Amino acid sequence: MRLSALAAQVLDGFSRKSVRKAKQKRSQSSSQFRSQGKPIELTPLPLLKDVPAPEQPELFLKKLQQCCTVFDFMDTLSDLKMKEYKRSTLNELVDYVTVSRGYLTEQAYPEVVKMVSHNIFRTLPPSDSNEFDPEEDEPTLEASWPHLQLVYEFFIRFLESQEFQPSIAKKYIDQKFVLQLLELFDSEDPRERDYLKTVLHRIYGKFLGLRAFIRKQINNIFLRFVYETEHFNGVAELLEILGSIINGFALPLKAEHKQFLVKVLIPLHTVRSLSLFHAQLAYCIVQFLEKDPTLTEPVIRGLLKFWPKTCSQKEVMFLGELEEILDVIEPTQFVKIQEPLFKQISRCVSSPHFQVAERALYYWNNEYIMSLIEENSSVILPIMFASLYRISKEHWNPAIVALVYNVLKAFMEMNSTLFDELTATYKSDRQREKKKEKEREELWKKLEDLELKRGLRSDGIIPT
Amino acid sequence: MAGADGDDSLYPIAVLIDELRNEDVQLRLNSIKKLSTIALALGVERTRTELLPFLTDTIYDEDEVLLALAEQLGNFTMLVGGPEYVHCLLPPLESLATVEETVVRDKAVESLRKISQEHSPVDLEVHFEPLVKRLASGDWFTSRTSACGLFSVCYPRVSSTVKAEIRQHFRTLCSDDTPMVRRAAASKLGEFAKVLELDYVKSDIISLFTALASDEQDSVRLLAVEACVSIATLLPQEDLETLVMPTLRQAAEDKSWRVRYMVADKFSELQKAVGPEITKNDLVPAFQNLLKDCEAEVRAAAANKVKEFCENLPEDNREQIIMTHILPCVKELVSDTNQHVKSALASVIMGLSTILGKDNTIEHLLPLFLAQLKDECPEVRLNIISNLDCVNEVIGIRQLSQSLLPAIVELAEDAKWRVRLAIIEYMPLLAGQLGVEFFDEKLNTLCMAWLIDHVYAIREAATCNLMKLVEKFGAEWAQNTIVPKVLGMANDPNYLHRMTTLFCINVIVHCCGYPYREITTKQMLPVVLKMSNDQVANVRFNVAKSLQKIGPVLDSNALQTEVKPVLEKLASDTDMDVKYFAQEAISVLALA
């Protein structure tokens, strides 16, 4: 389905980016217009402020009904007059729900939801770019934005209006409505996602009965994103909403929420496009840990399990997140995970990619982390020592070597006896490791001989 | 078999398990990949009682390791003692079938499916089926997803009561509230239908199919389209109209382009499954709509199917359907706004000529071919050229050549080297179709120009192209048209072009070989030998390599008096590589 990208690859693997750069702002429309029909005619109605108050609710409904008409914005020439008329009507409606009182009759609710649904719910068109890269690509903008924006604006004012009664609205803003709303978060247009974020936030705030459902559907979107498609444009926005939802969780945390953390948020780290939503994700994780420090161990173990192996940029992000976690970690939790954690850090410190090494070494500039290391130096120093010692001699980047010297110096000051001991045994330890390695090889050799012998025997070559 | 159950002193399980726990992931992975060796060392008994429980209980590992484990266990039957004990493998595979990572889970399911065949019917009911049930009612969606893939392998071999249970479980999963599970169930619906008794297909499967095909998520609906193919194949013709067609019609007009895309993509399969009558009444209009769809993705998928669809139309009124219903849509697609649609069409449109015959081709199709040959997008033109042979069979290439040539020349000089590469690959085919005269007149210059292209891949392909041309037109042609030009390049100031001379000589010698020893000895060898004095080392060592290839064709006199001295000189060259290849040539040609 990614035709453009595919074709470009077939033709010339190197030209892709430049070709894409060439086209400037693209815009697209939803895929709902199947054929150009006849011109659309709407009968102009009087302004709301020009009719007596008792007649306003009735006129309000009529205007809502008119605004259900959807125009084709890809055709820039058609229905210009009517498009302008709808735009001004929407503007009027926005003002009306903001300032008026007593307009929200019970009959208005279904009409409002109907108008909003007609305008915003649509099948999103296929994406042009293979992988959306915010640094490289211009997002595809929604062509009907002049109307769509006002519809969103109107809907938010409606939800925020003082007269708004969730108990009536819940008949119309139901699970199906929310589900369609969530699907729109895949929109490539960042302006739309921003409005959606506010809309969903308001709905989550006002409709208690929908909360569990919303969380579950977000769950499903994330799981599908991680394990099936790796494509969804609104992950950052949804995480942002979740950040504040998590903030409001009551203690003790429900099992459902913990499961969400471990089975959904942690695996989100494995996605290729992590950089697009990492800040929001890290925020959610830290929120969880501030709520319940006992989750620290599973979280850190999860991050270690998914530690990036080939992508240095991601590794730097992981290190950043880990530092945020360490900033809020309780010393009792720290002790539980220090060993696996520092084994990983020691690998990062000796990464040939200097940004990774540098990011890891910066931990030693963090006072709180330093104090934790100092308290546990007898455990951490032996784990770190070999890597540090080796890099201090052979890393290609002088800045890293300088940082490592500082770290070694800090360790020396913390625990000079242990430090001297490790320095003295460094060589013999390496030799012991080599010997062990040799033993391993021999074991496998023996096992393979055995397999060969068995194989021959079962082939009947060697009689049993 | 004494001692076959392992040797305690040599391979204590602790050591082996240590290996599986090694701190280094790579080493763990290696150990898991050699799990069969470990099992062999332990023997079947200890594999069952110690190794498998260890694997089941204590493995919490990186997905990469788990993936290897899941794969290994699928081939473990003999290592646990044969089919009699195969059920011992179920516990570790069961937990692997519940992990998060899709790849691991899929592999575990694949292994489970494999070993299910090794279970006896009794074991299947006692051990395997309960596992499927546990997975099907698991808490987390992953186990339920995995269960979907296991129903069809046990269904045919269990008793009717168990069968009823299995059907019930499948039904439940089809309406699971997690879309991931519904997707898994929908993707297995066709497979499951195939093992069911026809009555149950009608009573159970159809209602599930209808429900999934109108699911709220388009990702579920589109999978139902796939199932539609298998289901339609299973049902008797008279039931299709009532049981399948309403759903299929609805899918072809689904509001989500993904579903319509899927219908277009599966169109040939659907066409075969529903048979000629329904095709005529329903699929033809549906296909027309897909060809006119508002999304380019859908149009491209449908355009791809044009030839196959037309080919499979019932013969009695095939021509009439194509001419009145399909061709008008195709004509529109030729000038589509989207280049992918046009290029999809270009890749199949030529196939219509065989179906429609000579007269229709000349009258209706030729204008379309020519329009596409002049398309602004190189891929469209390329697709047309690559399928010329179909038209050739019907109307002969001369009809096309007039318009063809400018297009080829243009592609041959395209700025994208991959386009040039692709057109080179069609040269031998075109040469064969056009004949030697036409070729010499119009295309030969192009072929020679590619030899001095600035991209190595093009020069390499051009060299290879020469070989194929020589194979086609014969050595005499080579001697008259190719060899002089190639040898002329030996004096080119650019060393890359001088090397191309050598590469070309290699392939020409390869084709012409013995029968034309004359050309080789008299014309090519002197040039090669002279190049051994080249100042660029790369040229010199390629001389050594070429001599190694030419050597076998030469008579022993030429070898001894001409080749040997030169190779000996090169063998004492100052450059390491030149020395190496000269020595290699000397030993291969046995000149030492």
Side-chain angles (χ1 to χ4, degrees):
Chain A
M1 275 179 271
R2 319 286 193 209
L3 293 170
S4 51
L6 264 182
Q9 275 165 8
V10 171
L11 295 182
D12 188 340
F14 302 102
S15 71
R16 210 177 123 214
K17 292 205 162 162
S18 53
V19 168
R20 275 196 292 165
K21 256 185 191 162
K23 35 184 168 170
Q24 281 301 311
K25 284 215 166 113
R26 294 160 300 145
S27 72
Q28 63 186 6
S29 166
S30 73
S31 99
Q32 62 193 334
F33 301 100
R34 305 213 52 180
S35 58
Q36 265 110 2
K38 291 172 228 135
I40 297 168
E41 274 305 325
L42 300 175
T43 325
L45 296 169
L47 292 179
L48 282 158
K49 65 173 167 44
D50 293 347
V51 300
E55 288 171 31
Q56 284 183 3
E58 178 75 29
L59 186 58
F60 178 60
L61 291 187
K62 277 195 182 145
K63 294 205 170 215
L64 284 173
Q65 278 154 8
Q66 277 196 333
C67 287
C68 287
T69 316
V70 181
F71 292 89
D72 181 0
F73 272 82
M74 288 311 271
D75 184 349
T76 44
L77 298 174
S78 70
D79 306 312
L80 285 178
K81 252 192 179 154
M82 286 300 122
K83 279 179 190 166
E84 176 52 28
Y85 171 71
K86 178 172 169 186
R87 201 190 60 77
S88 64
T89 308
L90 283 169
N91 256 326
E92 193 195 0
L93 291 176
V94 171
D95 291 342
Y96 185 68
V97 292
T98 322
V99 295
S100 302
R101 294 282 169 271
Y103 72 95
L104 256 185
T105 57
E106 216 163 297
Q107 295 94 301
Y109 285 88
E111 293 302 325
V112 167
V113 174
K114 196 173 127 205
M115 191 278 277
V116 170
S117 305
H118 267 89
N119 279 282
I120 68 170
F121 294 153
R122 63 208 194 277
T123 308
L124 295 170
S127 166
D128 264 357
S129 50
N130 191 0
E131 268 164 73
F132 183 70
D133 177 353
E135 282 162 21
E136 193 70 42
D137 303 323
E138 286 285 336
T140 311
L141 299 178
E142 173 59 47
S144 61
W145 192 243
H147 285 174
L148 209 52
Q149 175 180 21
L150 292 172
V151 174
Y152 278 118
E153 196 68 52
F154 167 78
F155 191 41
I156 290 170
R157 305 282 175 97
F158 166 74
L159 291 169
E160 288 173 350
S161 148
Q162 286 178 342
E163 297 184 6
F164 179 76
Q165 286 178 286
S167 55
I168 302 173
K170 74 178 180 194
K171 267 186 269 173
Y172 312 105
I173 297 179
D174 53 4
Q175 296 194 346
K176 192 164 179 240
F177 183 92
V178 168
L179 204 60
Q180 287 172 286
L181 196 68
L182 284 167
E183 273 173 24
L184 289 177
F185 275 83
D186 195 19
S187 166
E188 232 174 272
D189 193 329
R191 302 167 303 183
E192 178 168 21
R193 295 202 303 273
D194 207 51
Y195 270 106
L196 283 165
K197 196 171 66 185
T198 316
V199 169
L200 187 66
H201 216 142
R202 295 293 167 270
I203 293 181
Y204 191 88
K206 294 192 189 264
F207 298 86
L208 303 187
L210 285 172
R211 287 187 175 181
F213 180 78
I214 291 174
R215 288 198 305 269
K216 195 162 146 200
Q217 295 310 321
I218 294 181
N219 238 327
N220 288 340
I221 289 175
F222 284 169
L223 288 168
R224 178 163 186 230
F225 172 65
V226 174
Y227 293 114
E228 293 181 11
T229 59
E230 291 222 353
H231 178 89
F232 193 84
N233 290 314
V235 176
E237 283 81 2
L238 289 176
L239 282 169
E240 214 172 298
I241 298 171
L242 280 166
S244 58
I245 292 180
I246 296 165
N247 211 335
F249 282 161
L251 286 174
L253 288 176
K254 286 189 202 158
E256 174 213 329
H257 301 327
K258 290 186 188 169
Q259 191 181 45
F260 172 69
L261 169 69
V262 176
K263 297 213 170 191
V264 183
L265 288 186
I266 298 288
L268 266 177
H269 287 86
T270 61
V271 176
R272 230 177 324 165
S273 53
L274 177 67
S275 64
L276 299 185
F277 54 84
H278 182 251
Q280 292 83 349
L281 179 59
Y283 177 79
C284 287
I285 302 270
V286 173
Q287 288 292 305
F288 260 113
L289 299 186
E290 290 202 274
K291 286 256 164 196
D292 182 353
T294 60
L295 291 168
T296 310
E297 188 180 351
V299 164
I300 291 187
R301 283 194 188 276
L303 288 180
L304 293 176
K305 181 178 167 187
F306 293 132
W307 201 271
K309 294 194 177 57
T310 52
C311 181
S312 309
Q313 282 88 344
K314 266 177 87 173
E315 227 177 327
V316 173
M317 285 184 250
F318 270 55
L319 284 164
E321 182 173 347
L322 212 47
E323 183 164 1
E324 282 181 53
I325 294 173
L326 289 174
D327 271 331
V328 299
I329 201 169
E330 289 186 359
T332 47
Q333 298 297 323
F334 181 80
V335 179
K336 285 188 197 161
I337 43 86
Q338 55 180 353
E339 280 187 57
L341 177 63
F342 276 85
K343 277 179 189 158
Q344 182 56 54
I345 292 175
S346 116
R347 278 194 286 273
C348 292
V349 161
S350 42
S351 165
H353 195 295
F354 84 97
Q355 285 174 329
V356 175
E358 187 183 57
R359 188 66 192 83
L361 288 164
Y362 280 164
Y363 282 13
W364 274 263
N365 295 340
N366 183 316
E367 272 179 40
Y368 181 60
I369 298 180
M370 265 304 263
S371 71
L372 291 168
I373 294 176
E374 188 156 13
E375 271 168 50
N376 300 285
S377 65
S378 59
V379 181
I380 295 170
L381 182 49
I383 298 174
M384 296 294 300
F385 186 79
S387 304
L388 292 173
Y389 192 85
R390 198 164 43 77
I391 319 159
S392 72
K393 302 227 178 303
E394 57 191 44
H395 203 282
W396 62 272
N397 186 310
I400 296 297
V401 175
L403 282 170
V404 166
Y405 271 118
N406 285 339
V407 171
L408 281 172
K409 207 171 124 231
F411 271 128
M412 203 154 47
E413 282 160 10
M414 269 178 216
N415 195 336
S416 60
T417 353
L418 181 57
F419 192 89
D420 291 342
E421 221 171 86
L422 288 167
T423 320
T425 56
Y426 180 78
K427 267 203 177 139
S428 57
D429 281 349
R430 294 295 80 73
Q431 273 163 1
R432 201 174 323 126
E433 267 171 33
K434 270 191 191 141
K435 201 177 147 221
K436 225 174 142 190
E437 185 54 32
K438 227 175 154 189
E439 280 171 7
R440 276 180 39 79
E441 272 170 29
E442 272 166 24
L443 171 76
W444 279 107
K445 229 178 138 233
K446 272 190 216 160
L447 285 175
E448 268 149 32
D449 287 347
L450 176 87
E451 186 172 37
L452 206 64
K453 228 162 53 193
R454 287 282 164 81
L456 292 177
R457 213 183 278 167
S458 62
D459 287 345
I461 296 170
I462 300 175
T464 45
Chain B
M1 225 156 75
D5 262 9
D7 185 332
D8 288 359
S9 59
L10 258 179
Y11 318 107
I13 188 158
V15 177
L16 299 174
I17 283 176
D18 248 15
E19 283 296 297
L20 297 174
R21 277 188 184 140
N22 197 301
E23 218 166 85
D24 186 336
V25 188
Q26 196 51 48
L27 293 179
R28 273 200 317 272
L29 192 59
N30 291 343
S31 308
I32 284 283
K33 284 187 174 154
K34 292 182 197 153
L35 199 61
S36 59
T37 311
I38 295 181
L40 206 58
L42 292 173
V44 292
E45 176 83 37
R46 297 188 65 198
T47 298
R48 286 199 301 268
T49 55
E50 293 172 63
L51 184 62
L52 287 178
F54 163 75
L55 293 173
T56 316
D57 298 338
T58 55
I59 288 241
Y60 164 86
D61 209 325
E62 306 219 9
D63 293 326
E64 215 182 339
V65 178
L66 297 183
L67 175 66
L69 178 60
E71 187 172 8
Q72 289 282 313
L73 291 176
N75 302 315
F76 240 58
T77 310
M78 290 323 287
L79 294 164
V80 292
E84 201 183 328
Y85 296 98
V86 67
H87 58 84
C88 303
L89 298 172
L90 296 180
L93 282 171
E94 181 173 353
S95 38
L96 288 169
T98 64
V99 301
E100 249 72 33
E101 179 51 53
T102 329
V103 188
V104 176
R105 230 183 315 134
D106 288 350
K107 190 53 90 178
V109 170
E110 193 186 312
S111 288
L112 279 169
R113 286 168 70 111
K114 207 165 170 187
I115 64 168
S116 73
Q117 303 308 319
E118 281 149 0
H119 281 71
S120 68
V122 176
D123 280 349
L124 207 59
E125 280 195 24
V126 178
H127 299 285
F128 198 87
E129 204 268 339
L131 167 142
V132 179
K133 270 197 257 177
R134 278 196 300 278
L135 288 175
S137 44
D139 276 341
W140 190 240
F141 79 96
T142 53
S143 68
R144 302 200 298 279
T145 310
S146 295
C148 293
L150 297 172
F151 294 120
S152 66
V153 291
C154 44
Y155 190 84
R157 295 170 61 212
V158 293
S159 68
S160 58
T161 26
V162 179
K163 277 184 175 175
E165 284 172 30
I166 292 180
R167 287 196 304 274
Q168 180 52 46
H169 278 292
F170 192 79
R171 242 193 321 267
T172 316
L173 293 182
C174 282
S175 54
D176 197 282
D177 69 343
T178 316
M180 275 79 73
V181 178
R182 292 203 303 279
R183 277 196 287 276
S187 70
K188 300 291 176 198
L189 184 65
E191 177 189 295
F192 189 56
K194 280 185 191 157
V195 299
L196 244 59
E197 297 80 357
L198 186 58
D199 282 346
Y200 291 120
V201 173
K202 286 189 199 172
S203 61
D204 285 29
I205 296 289
I206 294 296
S207 63
L208 297 175
F209 168 62
T210 318
L212 290 168
S214 44
D215 195 278
E216 62 201 5
Q217 304 243 340
D218 60 358
S219 54
V220 179
R221 294 202 299 277
L222 66 87
L223 290 168
V225 175
E226 276 192 295
C228 184
V229 175
S230 329
I231 295 172
T233 322
L234 295 171
L235 292 173
Q237 190 70 33
E238 65 268 23
D239 290 327
L240 287 176
E241 184 54 44
T242 48
L243 298 181
V244 176
M245 287 317 290
T247 311
L248 182 56
R249 274 185 213 116
Q250 179 194 320
E253 292 178 354
D254 197 283
K255 68 177 195 294
S256 161
W257 63 270
R258 289 185 189 84
V259 178
R260 300 196 305 274
Y261 172 90
M262 194 56 139
V263 174
D265 195 47
K266 297 274 162 223
F267 217 82
S268 305
E269 287 93 329
L270 288 166
Q271 184 187 9
K272 277 178 208 150
V274 298
E277 264 322 295
I278 295 181
T279 297
K280 253 187 269 177
N281 301 334
D282 276 281
L283 294 195
V284 172
F287 194 59
Q288 284 174 293
N289 282 337
L290 292 170
L291 289 172
K292 294 185 207 147
D293 197 279
C294 60
E295 289 299 346
E297 258 77 1
V298 180
R299 288 198 304 278
N304 254 322
K305 303 286 167 189
V306 164
K307 180 197 161 200
E308 245 180 297
F309 180 73
C310 293
E311 223 167 33
N312 296 328
L313 284 170
E315 262 178 61
D316 48 345
N317 48 4
R318 179 162 74 185
E319 193 176 319
Q320 183 254 328
I321 295 179
I322 298 177
M323 298 306 293
T324 52
H325 298 290
I326 307 297
L327 208 57
C329 304
V330 169
K331 274 185 190 152
E332 270 175 51
L333 290 183
V334 166
S335 48
D336 199 281
T337 48
N338 184 298
Q339 63 167 35
H340 307 298
V341 176
K342 286 186 291 188
S343 92
L345 182 68
S347 65
V348 298
I349 188 174
M350 311 292 271
L352 290 179
S353 54
T354 27
I355 306 171
L356 289 176
K358 187 169 177 177
D359 293 341
N360 279 327
T361 302
I362 293 175
E363 194 184 336
H364 299 285
L365 293 177
L366 211 49
L368 304 180
F369 299 161
L370 294 181
Q372 290 217 298
L373 259 180
K374 292 185 193 123
D375 199 280
E376 69 209 9
C377 163
E379 214 196 336
V380 176
R381 301 196 297 266
L382 196 61
N383 281 345
I384 289 289
I385 290 175
S386 19
N387 290 296
L388 278 177
D389 47 337
C390 325
V391 187
N392 187 25
E393 284 162 22
V394 183
I395 62 166
I397 202 81
R398 288 278 162 184
Q399 291 267 12
L400 270 175
S401 57
Q402 216 47 25
S403 342
L404 181 67
L405 205 62
I408 294 179
V409 173
E410 212 177 302
L411 285 173
E413 288 158 359
D414 197 282
K416 294 196 170 79
W417 67 266
R418 280 172 209 265
V419 174
R420 299 202 295 276
L421 185 65
I423 192 82
I424 293 177
E425 278 161 12
Y426 287 108
M427 265 307 141
L429 176 79
L430 280 173
Q433 293 174 350
L434 295 165
V436 67
E437 224 168 280
F438 188 91
F439 184 86
D440 280 347
E441 193 182 318
K442 314 272 189 190
L443 299 175
N444 198 14
T445 352
L446 282 180
C447 291
M448 299 315 289
W450 283 320
L451 287 175
I452 50 170
D453 197 283
H454 62 276
V455 175
Y456 177 74
I458 297 297
R459 296 197 300 274
E460 193 188 24
T463 310
C464 183
N465 174 43
L466 274 193
M467 177 170 89
K468 289 181 185 146
L469 291 173
V470 175
E471 275 170 2
K472 225 165 219 133
F473 294 153
E476 201 149 332
W477 175 82
Q479 188 179 4
N480 294 330
T481 45
I482 302 286
V483 174
K485 286 183 191 167
V486 165
L487 295 185
M489 280 162 54
N491 300 316
D492 198 289
N494 185 336
Y495 84 98
L496 293 170
H497 298 170
R498 298 201 294 277
M499 290 210 313
T500 308
T501 299
L502 291 170
F503 298 145
C504 291
I505 288 177
N506 292 348
V507 300
I508 295 174
V509 170
H510 173 80
C511 305
C512 298
Y514 277 114
Y516 293 88
R517 192 184 268 186
E518 278 288 304
I519 320 177
T520 313
T521 327
K522 291 252 168 70
Q523 297 189 18
M524 296 196 278
L525 182 63
V527 174
V528 176
L529 292 175
K530 203 176 134 215
M531 289 171 85
S532 67
N533 297 317
D534 201 290
Q535 59 192 20
V536 177
N538 295 40
V539 177
R540 293 201 301 278
F541 77 64
N542 273 298
V543 166
K545 282 169 142 183
S546 287
L547 286 174
Q548 184 183 330
K549 293 211 172 80
I550 301 178
V553 183
L554 301 171
D555 57 45
S556 63
N557 185 29
L559 263 183
Q560 289 298 332
T561 60
E562 300 186 60
V563 175
K564 190 175 172 186
V566 169
L567 281 177
E568 276 168 353
K569 190 184 74 190
L570 290 175
S572 54
D573 200 282
T574 47
D575 186 273
M576 225 172 70
D577 295 317
V578 178
K579 266 194 230 172
Y580 172 82
F581 286 108
Q583 274 154 5
E584 192 182 71
I586 289 174
S587 76
V588 169
L589 297 173
L591 291 175

